[in-house]
Amino acid sequence: MFDARTNESVLSVEHGQPVESVLLFPSGGLLVSAGGRYVKVWDMLKGGQLLVSLKNHHKTVTCLCLSSSGQRLLSGSLDRKVKVYSTASYKVVHSFDYAASILSLALAHEDETIVVGMTNGILSVKHRKSEAKKESLPRRRRPAYRTFIKGKNYMKQRDDILINRPTKKHLELYDRDLKHFRISKALDRVLEPTCAIKTPEITVSIIKELNRRGVLANALAGRDEKEISRVLNFLIRNLSQPRFAPVLINAAEIIIDIYLPVIGQSPVVDKKFLLLQGLVEKEIDYQRELLETLGMMDMLFATMRGKEGTSVLEHTSDGFPENKKIES
C-alpha cells in the first residue's frame, strides 16, 4: 500500500501466491487479495494482520467484487465458478456456474445484474429475478342475489328455468405474450416439453404467426445453448410430418442463417445443427420428387381425358338404335 502524498510504501502483506486481484472495502479498514486458490482478508487497522483465509476454489482466483451494500463478497476463478461470500461470517452462501474460465467480474447498480467475462470471448450478463409480490387474501364471496330473494334453503322447482351466467374465456399465456408483443417469451412458452410434445400443432401455429408478422428471426436470435437445443429438438422431431413441413422448413432455414457463423462453440448444438441441416435437405428433396410425380400424373390424366369418347344413340335405317362413339 502506497501513500499518494509521499509516493512511498507504507504497508505490505505477504499473500503467498502470485496476486491476481485486490479489493479495498469502502470503509478502508479491510483489504481483500486473491491469488492462487486463496482469497485472503487483511485488517488494515491492525497493521495488515490476516483476518481470514478462504480456499473454496479448485483453480486460480482471478477477480474480486463487492456488493453495493458491502454484505456480499464475490470471487471468480479459472474453475468456471463465481463464489458469493457473506462478509459477516465469510462463508459461501451462493455460487454460479459458467461455461468457461472466468477472467473478470462486476456488479451493476443495486446488485441487480452480474457481468462476467470468460476466456472463450463471451460476456455473460445475468439479471436477478424480482421478488414475487405477496398474494392478497381471496375476497370472501358474497351470497348470490337469489339467496336474498328466495332464501338460503330454496330448491329448484320443476318449472323453474335456471339461467347461468356466461363463463369468461381467458387467453392462454402465449396468446397474452403475443398480444403484448413479447415474441421471444411466447415462443419459449410453446417450446416447453408439456406443449411441444403433447400439442405440437400449437407450437407450429405460433411459429407460423410469428413468421406472418415478420418477427420470427428476432424471436429465434440471441439464444443460449440450452434454448437453441430446445428449438432444434422440436424441429428434428416434427420436420418430417407433412402437415408441419412447410412451416418448419422455413423456420429451420432461418435458424441455419442466424447460427451458421457460431458453429463450433458447442459440440451438442453442432451435432443437432448438422442433423437438422441434413433433414431439411432431405425433406426438400422429397418435396421436389413429389412435385415431379404430380406433374407426371397431371400429364397422364390430361392425356386420358383427351382420348375419352362420348357415346350417343343413333337410329339406323332398319329402325333399331345403334350405339356410336364420337371421339372428342
Short mmCIF file of all heavy atoms in Angstrom, two decimals, residues 212-265:
data_model
loop_
_atom_site.label_atom_id
_atom_site.label_comp_id
_atom_site.label_asym_id
_atom_site.label_seq_id
_atom_site.Cartn_x
_atom_site.Cartn_y
_atom_site.Cartn_z
N ARG A 212 -45.68 -14.80 -39.99
CA ARG A 212 -46.62 -13.91 -40.68
C ARG A 212 -46.39 -12.45 -40.28
O ARG A 212 -46.48 -11.55 -41.11
CB ARG A 212 -48.06 -14.32 -40.36
CG ARG A 212 -49.11 -13.54 -41.12
CD ARG A 212 -50.49 -13.84 -40.58
NE ARG A 212 -50.65 -13.31 -39.25
CZ ARG A 212 -50.96 -12.04 -38.97
NH1 ARG A 212 -51.11 -11.16 -39.95
NH2 ARG A 212 -51.12 -11.65 -37.72
N ARG A 213 -46.05 -12.25 -39.01
CA ARG A 213 -45.76 -10.89 -38.54
C ARG A 213 -44.39 -10.40 -38.96
O ARG A 213 -44.09 -9.20 -38.81
CB ARG A 213 -45.85 -10.83 -37.01
CG ARG A 213 -47.23 -11.13 -36.46
CD ARG A 213 -47.24 -10.92 -34.96
NE ARG A 213 -48.54 -11.22 -34.37
CZ ARG A 213 -48.85 -10.99 -33.10
NH1 ARG A 213 -47.95 -10.45 -32.28
NH2 ARG A 213 -50.04 -11.31 -32.62
N GLY A 214 -43.54 -11.31 -39.44
CA GLY A 214 -42.20 -10.92 -39.86
C GLY A 214 -41.21 -10.78 -38.73
O GLY A 214 -40.18 -10.11 -38.88
N VAL A 215 -41.47 -11.41 -37.57
CA VAL A 215 -40.59 -11.28 -36.40
C VAL A 215 -40.04 -12.63 -35.96
O VAL A 215 -39.51 -12.74 -34.86
CB VAL A 215 -41.35 -10.61 -35.24
CG1 VAL A 215 -41.72 -9.18 -35.58
CG2 VAL A 215 -42.61 -11.40 -34.88
N LEU A 216 -40.15 -13.65 -36.82
CA LEU A 216 -39.66 -14.98 -36.43
C LEU A 216 -38.15 -14.97 -36.24
O LEU A 216 -37.63 -15.59 -35.30
CB LEU A 216 -40.07 -16.01 -37.48
CG LEU A 216 -39.65 -17.45 -37.19
CD1 LEU A 216 -40.23 -17.92 -35.87
CD2 LEU A 216 -40.10 -18.39 -38.31
N ALA A 217 -37.43 -14.27 -37.10
CA ALA A 217 -35.97 -14.21 -36.97
C ALA A 217 -35.56 -13.53 -35.66
O ALA A 217 -34.61 -13.95 -34.99
CB ALA A 217 -35.36 -13.48 -38.16
N ASN A 218 -36.29 -12.49 -35.26
CA ASN A 218 -35.98 -11.81 -33.99
C ASN A 218 -36.26 -12.72 -32.80
O ASN A 218 -35.52 -12.68 -31.81
CB ASN A 218 -36.81 -10.53 -33.87
CG ASN A 218 -36.47 -9.52 -34.94
OD1 ASN A 218 -35.37 -9.54 -35.48
ND2 ASN A 218 -37.41 -8.66 -35.28
N ALA A 219 -37.31 -13.53 -32.88
CA ALA A 219 -37.64 -14.42 -31.77
C ALA A 219 -36.65 -15.57 -31.64
O ALA A 219 -36.40 -16.07 -30.54
CB ALA A 219 -39.05 -14.98 -31.95
N LEU A 220 -36.05 -15.99 -32.76
CA LEU A 220 -35.11 -17.11 -32.73
C LEU A 220 -33.68 -16.67 -32.43
O LEU A 220 -32.86 -17.49 -32.01
CB LEU A 220 -35.14 -17.85 -34.07
CG LEU A 220 -36.42 -18.62 -34.39
CD1 LEU A 220 -36.39 -19.12 -35.82
CD2 LEU A 220 -36.61 -19.78 -33.43
N ALA A 221 -33.36 -15.40 -32.62
CA ALA A 221 -31.99 -14.93 -32.44
C ALA A 221 -31.67 -14.70 -30.96
O ALA A 221 -32.56 -14.56 -30.13
CB ALA A 221 -31.79 -13.63 -33.23
N GLY A 222 -30.37 -14.69 -30.66
CA GLY A 222 -29.90 -14.36 -29.32
C GLY A 222 -30.18 -15.40 -28.26
O GLY A 222 -30.35 -15.07 -27.09
N ARG A 223 -30.20 -16.68 -28.63
CA ARG A 223 -30.50 -17.74 -27.67
C ARG A 223 -29.21 -18.45 -27.24
O ARG A 223 -28.27 -18.58 -28.02
CB ARG A 223 -31.48 -18.75 -28.26
CG ARG A 223 -32.85 -18.14 -28.55
CD ARG A 223 -33.82 -19.12 -29.14
NE ARG A 223 -35.14 -18.51 -29.24
CZ ARG A 223 -36.06 -18.59 -28.29
NH1 ARG A 223 -35.82 -19.27 -27.19
NH2 ARG A 223 -37.23 -18.00 -28.43
N ASP A 224 -29.21 -18.93 -25.99
CA ASP A 224 -28.05 -19.65 -25.48
C ASP A 224 -28.13 -21.11 -25.88
O ASP A 224 -29.03 -21.54 -26.62
CB ASP A 224 -27.94 -19.50 -23.96
CG ASP A 224 -29.20 -19.97 -23.24
OD1 ASP A 224 -30.03 -20.65 -23.88
OD2 ASP A 224 -29.37 -19.66 -22.05
N GLU A 225 -27.18 -21.90 -25.38
CA GLU A 225 -27.07 -23.30 -25.80
C GLU A 225 -28.32 -24.10 -25.43
O GLU A 225 -28.82 -24.89 -26.23
CB GLU A 225 -25.83 -23.92 -25.15
CG GLU A 225 -25.62 -25.39 -25.50
CD GLU A 225 -24.38 -25.97 -24.82
OE1 GLU A 225 -23.64 -25.19 -24.19
OE2 GLU A 225 -24.17 -27.18 -24.93
N LYS A 226 -28.83 -23.89 -24.23
CA LYS A 226 -30.00 -24.66 -23.78
C LYS A 226 -31.24 -24.31 -24.60
O LYS A 226 -32.00 -25.20 -25.00
CB LYS A 226 -30.24 -24.37 -22.29
CG LYS A 226 -31.39 -25.15 -21.70
CD LYS A 226 -31.54 -24.84 -20.22
CE LYS A 226 -32.71 -25.60 -19.61
NZ LYS A 226 -32.87 -25.30 -18.16
N GLU A 227 -31.45 -23.03 -24.86
CA GLU A 227 -32.65 -22.60 -25.59
C GLU A 227 -32.60 -23.03 -27.05
O GLU A 227 -33.61 -23.49 -27.60
CB GLU A 227 -32.79 -21.08 -25.48
CG GLU A 227 -33.09 -20.60 -24.07
CD GLU A 227 -33.09 -19.09 -23.98
OE1 GLU A 227 -32.61 -18.45 -24.94
OE2 GLU A 227 -33.55 -18.54 -22.97
N ILE A 228 -31.44 -22.89 -27.69
CA ILE A 228 -31.36 -23.29 -29.11
C ILE A 228 -31.45 -24.80 -29.24
O ILE A 228 -31.97 -25.31 -30.25
CB ILE A 228 -30.07 -22.73 -29.75
CG1 ILE A 228 -30.16 -22.86 -31.28
CG2 ILE A 228 -28.84 -23.44 -29.24
CD1 ILE A 228 -31.26 -22.06 -31.89
N SER A 229 -30.99 -25.56 -28.24
CA SER A 229 -31.13 -27.02 -28.28
C SER A 229 -32.60 -27.42 -28.23
O SER A 229 -33.02 -28.36 -28.90
CB SER A 229 -30.38 -27.65 -27.10
OG SER A 229 -28.99 -27.41 -27.21
N ARG A 230 -33.38 -26.68 -27.45
CA ARG A 230 -34.82 -26.98 -27.37
C ARG A 230 -35.51 -26.73 -28.71
O ARG A 230 -36.34 -27.52 -29.14
CB ARG A 230 -35.44 -26.11 -26.27
CG ARG A 230 -36.89 -26.42 -25.99
CD ARG A 230 -37.42 -25.52 -24.90
NE ARG A 230 -36.74 -25.76 -23.63
CZ ARG A 230 -36.96 -25.04 -22.55
NH1 ARG A 230 -37.84 -24.04 -22.57
NH2 ARG A 230 -36.31 -25.31 -21.43
N VAL A 231 -35.11 -25.65 -29.39
CA VAL A 231 -35.69 -25.37 -30.70
C VAL A 231 -35.30 -26.44 -31.71
O VAL A 231 -36.12 -26.93 -32.49
CB VAL A 231 -35.25 -23.97 -31.19
CG1 VAL A 231 -35.82 -23.69 -32.57
CG2 VAL A 231 -35.70 -22.89 -30.21
N LEU A 232 -34.01 -26.82 -31.71
CA LEU A 232 -33.53 -27.83 -32.66
C LEU A 232 -34.19 -29.18 -32.40
O LEU A 232 -34.52 -29.90 -33.35
CB LEU A 232 -32.01 -27.94 -32.55
CG LEU A 232 -31.21 -26.71 -33.00
CD1 LEU A 232 -29.73 -26.92 -32.76
CD2 LEU A 232 -31.46 -26.40 -34.46
N ASN A 233 -34.39 -29.54 -31.15
CA ASN A 233 -35.05 -30.82 -30.84
C ASN A 233 -36.47 -30.85 -31.39
O ASN A 233 -36.92 -31.87 -31.93
CB ASN A 233 -35.09 -31.04 -29.32
CG ASN A 233 -33.73 -31.39 -28.76
OD1 ASN A 233 -32.87 -31.90 -29.47
ND2 ASN A 233 -33.51 -31.10 -27.49
N PHE A 234 -37.18 -29.73 -31.26
CA PHE A 234 -38.55 -29.69 -31.78
C PHE A 234 -38.56 -29.81 -33.30
O PHE A 234 -39.37 -30.55 -33.88
CB PHE A 234 -39.23 -28.39 -31.35
CG PHE A 234 -40.62 -28.24 -31.89
CD1 PHE A 234 -41.69 -28.92 -31.29
CD2 PHE A 234 -40.88 -27.46 -33.01
CE1 PHE A 234 -42.98 -28.78 -31.79
CE2 PHE A 234 -42.16 -27.34 -33.51
CZ PHE A 234 -43.21 -28.00 -32.90
N LEU A 235 -37.65 -29.12 -33.98
CA LEU A 235 -37.61 -29.18 -35.44
C LEU A 235 -37.24 -30.58 -35.92
O LEU A 235 -37.83 -31.10 -36.88
CB LEU A 235 -36.61 -28.15 -35.97
CG LEU A 235 -36.98 -26.68 -35.76
CD1 LEU A 235 -35.87 -25.78 -36.27
CD2 LEU A 235 -38.29 -26.34 -36.45
N ILE A 236 -36.26 -31.20 -35.27
CA ILE A 236 -35.84 -32.54 -35.68
C ILE A 236 -36.97 -33.54 -35.48
O ILE A 236 -37.17 -34.46 -36.29
CB ILE A 236 -34.59 -32.95 -34.88
CG1 ILE A 236 -33.39 -32.09 -35.30
CG2 ILE A 236 -34.26 -34.42 -35.10
CD1 ILE A 236 -32.17 -32.26 -34.43
N ARG A 237 -37.75 -33.37 -34.41
CA ARG A 237 -38.82 -34.32 -34.10
C ARG A 237 -40.02 -34.18 -35.02
O ARG A 237 -40.71 -35.17 -35.29
CB ARG A 237 -39.23 -34.13 -32.64
CG ARG A 237 -40.20 -35.17 -32.12
CD ARG A 237 -40.32 -35.13 -30.60
NE ARG A 237 -40.65 -33.80 -30.12
CZ ARG A 237 -39.84 -33.04 -29.39
NH1 ARG A 237 -38.63 -33.48 -29.08
NH2 ARG A 237 -40.22 -31.84 -28.98
N ASN A 238 -40.31 -32.99 -35.52
CA ASN A 238 -41.55 -32.76 -36.26
C ASN A 238 -41.36 -32.34 -37.71
O ASN A 238 -42.35 -32.11 -38.40
CB ASN A 238 -42.38 -31.67 -35.54
CG ASN A 238 -42.79 -32.08 -34.14
OD1 ASN A 238 -43.74 -32.83 -33.95
ND2 ASN A 238 -42.07 -31.57 -33.16
N LEU A 239 -40.12 -32.21 -38.16
CA LEU A 239 -39.90 -31.71 -39.52
C LEU A 239 -40.41 -32.69 -40.57
O LEU A 239 -40.84 -32.27 -41.65
CB LEU A 239 -38.41 -31.45 -39.74
CG LEU A 239 -38.03 -30.75 -41.04
CD1 LEU A 239 -38.63 -29.35 -41.08
CD2 LEU A 239 -36.51 -30.67 -41.18
N SER A 240 -40.39 -33.98 -40.30
CA SER A 240 -40.78 -34.98 -41.29
C SER A 240 -42.30 -35.14 -41.40
O SER A 240 -42.75 -35.88 -42.27
CB SER A 240 -40.14 -36.33 -40.96
OG SER A 240 -40.53 -36.76 -39.66
N GLN A 241 -43.08 -34.50 -40.53
CA GLN A 241 -44.53 -34.62 -40.61
C GLN A 241 -45.06 -33.71 -41.73
O GLN A 241 -44.77 -32.52 -41.74
CB GLN A 241 -45.17 -34.24 -39.28
CG GLN A 241 -44.77 -35.15 -38.12
CD GLN A 241 -45.61 -34.92 -36.89
OE1 GLN A 241 -46.77 -34.54 -37.00
NE2 GLN A 241 -45.03 -35.18 -35.71
N PRO A 242 -45.83 -34.26 -42.64
CA PRO A 242 -46.27 -33.47 -43.80
C PRO A 242 -47.07 -32.22 -43.43
O PRO A 242 -46.95 -31.19 -44.09
CB PRO A 242 -47.13 -34.47 -44.59
CG PRO A 242 -46.66 -35.82 -44.15
CD PRO A 242 -46.26 -35.67 -42.73
N ARG A 243 -47.87 -32.28 -42.38
CA ARG A 243 -48.71 -31.13 -42.04
C ARG A 243 -47.89 -29.98 -41.45
O ARG A 243 -48.32 -28.83 -41.46
CB ARG A 243 -49.81 -31.53 -41.04
CG ARG A 243 -49.28 -32.20 -39.78
CD ARG A 243 -50.39 -32.50 -38.81
NE ARG A 243 -49.88 -33.15 -37.60
CZ ARG A 243 -50.55 -33.21 -36.47
NH1 ARG A 243 -51.74 -32.65 -36.38
NH2 ARG A 243 -50.03 -33.81 -35.41
N PHE A 244 -46.70 -30.28 -40.92
CA PHE A 244 -45.86 -29.25 -40.32
C PHE A 244 -44.69 -28.84 -41.22
O PHE A 244 -44.04 -27.83 -40.95
CB PHE A 244 -45.29 -29.73 -38.98
CG PHE A 244 -46.32 -30.06 -37.95
CD1 PHE A 244 -46.07 -31.01 -36.97
CD2 PHE A 244 -47.55 -29.43 -37.96
CE1 PHE A 244 -47.02 -31.32 -36.01
CE2 PHE A 244 -48.51 -29.73 -37.01
CZ PHE A 244 -48.25 -30.68 -36.05
N ALA A 245 -44.41 -29.62 -42.25
CA ALA A 245 -43.18 -29.44 -43.03
C ALA A 245 -43.03 -28.04 -43.62
O ALA A 245 -41.96 -27.43 -43.50
CB ALA A 245 -43.10 -30.50 -44.12
N PRO A 246 -44.05 -27.46 -44.28
CA PRO A 246 -43.83 -26.14 -44.90
C PRO A 246 -43.42 -25.05 -43.90
O PRO A 246 -42.54 -24.24 -44.18
CB PRO A 246 -45.19 -25.83 -45.55
CG PRO A 246 -45.83 -27.16 -45.74
CD PRO A 246 -45.38 -27.99 -44.60
N VAL A 247 -44.05 -25.05 -42.72
CA VAL A 247 -43.73 -24.02 -41.73
C VAL A 247 -42.37 -24.26 -41.10
O VAL A 247 -41.56 -23.34 -40.93
CB VAL A 247 -44.83 -23.99 -40.63
CG1 VAL A 247 -44.49 -22.96 -39.57
CG2 VAL A 247 -46.18 -23.67 -41.25
N LEU A 248 -42.08 -25.52 -40.76
CA LEU A 248 -40.84 -25.82 -40.05
C LEU A 248 -39.62 -25.74 -40.96
O LEU A 248 -38.52 -25.44 -40.48
CB LEU A 248 -40.93 -27.22 -39.42
CG LEU A 248 -42.01 -27.37 -38.34
CD1 LEU A 248 -41.93 -28.74 -37.70
CD2 LEU A 248 -41.87 -26.28 -37.28
N ILE A 249 -39.77 -26.02 -42.24
CA ILE A 249 -38.64 -25.87 -43.16
C ILE A 249 -38.21 -24.41 -43.23
O ILE A 249 -37.01 -24.08 -43.21
CB ILE A 249 -39.01 -26.42 -44.56
CG1 ILE A 249 -39.05 -27.95 -44.53
CG2 ILE A 249 -38.00 -25.95 -45.60
CD1 ILE A 249 -39.46 -28.57 -45.83
N ASN A 250 -39.18 -23.52 -43.27
CA ASN A 250 -38.86 -22.08 -43.29
C ASN A 250 -38.16 -21.67 -42.00
O ASN A 250 -37.17 -20.92 -42.02
CB ASN A 250 -40.16 -21.29 -43.48
CG ASN A 250 -39.91 -19.80 -43.57
OD1 ASN A 250 -38.90 -19.37 -44.13
ND2 ASN A 250 -40.79 -19.00 -43.01
N ALA A 251 -38.66 -22.17 -40.85
CA ALA A 251 -38.02 -21.85 -39.57
C ALA A 251 -36.61 -22.42 -39.50
O ALA A 251 -35.69 -21.78 -38.97
CB ALA A 251 -38.87 -22.38 -38.42
N ALA A 252 -36.41 -23.63 -40.02
CA ALA A 252 -35.09 -24.24 -40.00
C ALA A 252 -34.10 -23.45 -40.85
O ALA A 252 -32.93 -23.27 -40.48
CB ALA A 252 -35.19 -25.68 -40.49
N GLU A 253 -34.55 -22.96 -41.99
CA GLU A 253 -33.66 -22.16 -42.84
C GLU A 253 -33.26 -20.86 -42.14
O GLU A 253 -32.11 -20.40 -42.26
CB GLU A 253 -34.35 -21.87 -44.17
CG GLU A 253 -34.53 -23.11 -45.05
CD GLU A 253 -35.30 -22.80 -46.32
OE1 GLU A 253 -35.91 -21.69 -46.38
OE2 GLU A 253 -35.31 -23.64 -47.22
N ILE A 254 -34.19 -20.26 -41.40
CA ILE A 254 -33.86 -19.03 -40.65
C ILE A 254 -32.82 -19.32 -39.57
O ILE A 254 -31.87 -18.56 -39.37
CB ILE A 254 -35.15 -18.42 -40.06
CG1 ILE A 254 -36.08 -17.94 -41.17
CG2 ILE A 254 -34.81 -17.27 -39.11
CD1 ILE A 254 -37.42 -17.43 -40.67
N ILE A 255 -33.00 -20.44 -38.85
CA ILE A 255 -32.04 -20.81 -37.80
C ILE A 255 -30.67 -21.06 -38.39
O ILE A 255 -29.64 -20.65 -37.84
CB ILE A 255 -32.56 -22.04 -37.04
CG1 ILE A 255 -33.77 -21.66 -36.20
CG2 ILE A 255 -31.47 -22.63 -36.15
CD1 ILE A 255 -34.37 -22.81 -35.44
N ILE A 256 -30.61 -21.75 -39.53
CA ILE A 256 -29.32 -22.02 -40.17
C ILE A 256 -28.64 -20.72 -40.57
O ILE A 256 -27.42 -20.55 -40.39
CB ILE A 256 -29.53 -22.94 -41.39
CG1 ILE A 256 -29.97 -24.35 -40.91
CG2 ILE A 256 -28.25 -23.05 -42.21
CD1 ILE A 256 -30.36 -25.27 -42.03
N ASP A 257 -29.40 -19.77 -41.10
CA ASP A 257 -28.80 -18.49 -41.50
C ASP A 257 -28.29 -17.71 -40.28
O ASP A 257 -27.25 -17.04 -40.37
CB ASP A 257 -29.84 -17.65 -42.25
CG ASP A 257 -30.19 -18.26 -43.61
OD1 ASP A 257 -29.38 -19.05 -44.11
OD2 ASP A 257 -31.28 -17.96 -44.13
N ILE A 258 -29.00 -17.78 -39.15
CA ILE A 258 -28.62 -16.99 -37.98
C ILE A 258 -27.40 -17.58 -37.27
O ILE A 258 -26.46 -16.86 -36.93
CB ILE A 258 -29.81 -16.88 -37.00
CG1 ILE A 258 -30.96 -16.07 -37.63
CG2 ILE A 258 -29.38 -16.22 -35.69
CD1 ILE A 258 -32.21 -16.03 -36.79
N TYR A 259 -27.42 -18.90 -37.05
CA TYR A 259 -26.41 -19.52 -36.18
C TYR A 259 -25.27 -20.21 -36.94
O TYR A 259 -24.43 -20.84 -36.30
CB TYR A 259 -27.08 -20.53 -35.24
CG TYR A 259 -28.00 -19.88 -34.25
CD1 TYR A 259 -29.38 -19.81 -34.47
CD2 TYR A 259 -27.50 -19.29 -33.10
CE1 TYR A 259 -30.23 -19.19 -33.55
CE2 TYR A 259 -28.33 -18.68 -32.18
CZ TYR A 259 -29.70 -18.64 -32.41
OH TYR A 259 -30.52 -18.02 -31.51
N LEU A 260 -25.26 -20.11 -38.26
CA LEU A 260 -24.15 -20.71 -39.02
C LEU A 260 -22.80 -20.10 -38.66
O LEU A 260 -21.80 -20.82 -38.57
CB LEU A 260 -24.43 -20.57 -40.52
CG LEU A 260 -23.47 -21.34 -41.44
CD1 LEU A 260 -23.53 -22.84 -41.14
CD2 LEU A 260 -23.81 -21.08 -42.90
N PRO A 261 -22.68 -18.77 -38.41
CA PRO A 261 -21.34 -18.22 -38.08
C PRO A 261 -20.79 -18.68 -36.73
O PRO A 261 -19.59 -18.56 -36.50
CB PRO A 261 -21.59 -16.70 -38.07
CG PRO A 261 -22.81 -16.49 -38.90
CD PRO A 261 -23.65 -17.70 -38.65
N VAL A 262 -21.62 -19.19 -35.81
CA VAL A 262 -21.13 -19.57 -34.48
C VAL A 262 -21.02 -21.08 -34.32
O VAL A 262 -20.91 -21.58 -33.20
CB VAL A 262 -22.05 -19.00 -33.38
CG1 VAL A 262 -22.02 -17.50 -33.39
CG2 VAL A 262 -23.49 -19.51 -33.54
N ILE A 263 -21.06 -21.81 -35.43
CA ILE A 263 -20.90 -23.26 -35.36
C ILE A 263 -19.48 -23.59 -34.86
O ILE A 263 -18.50 -23.00 -35.30
CB ILE A 263 -21.15 -23.89 -36.75
CG1 ILE A 263 -22.62 -23.81 -37.09
CG2 ILE A 263 -20.69 -25.34 -36.77
CD1 ILE A 263 -23.51 -24.61 -36.18
N GLY A 264 -19.39 -24.55 -33.95
CA GLY A 264 -18.10 -24.97 -33.43
C GLY A 264 -17.88 -24.63 -31.97
O GLY A 264 -16.90 -25.06 -31.37
N GLN A 265 -18.80 -23.84 -31.38
CA GLN A 265 -18.63 -23.45 -29.98
C GLN A 265 -19.24 -24.45 -29.00
O GLN A 265 -18.87 -24.47 -27.84
CB GLN A 265 -19.24 -22.07 -29.74
CG GLN A 265 -18.56 -20.96 -30.51
CD GLN A 265 -19.13 -19.59 -30.17
OE1 GLN A 265 -19.96 -19.46 -29.29
NE2 GLN A 265 -18.68 -18.57 -30.87
#
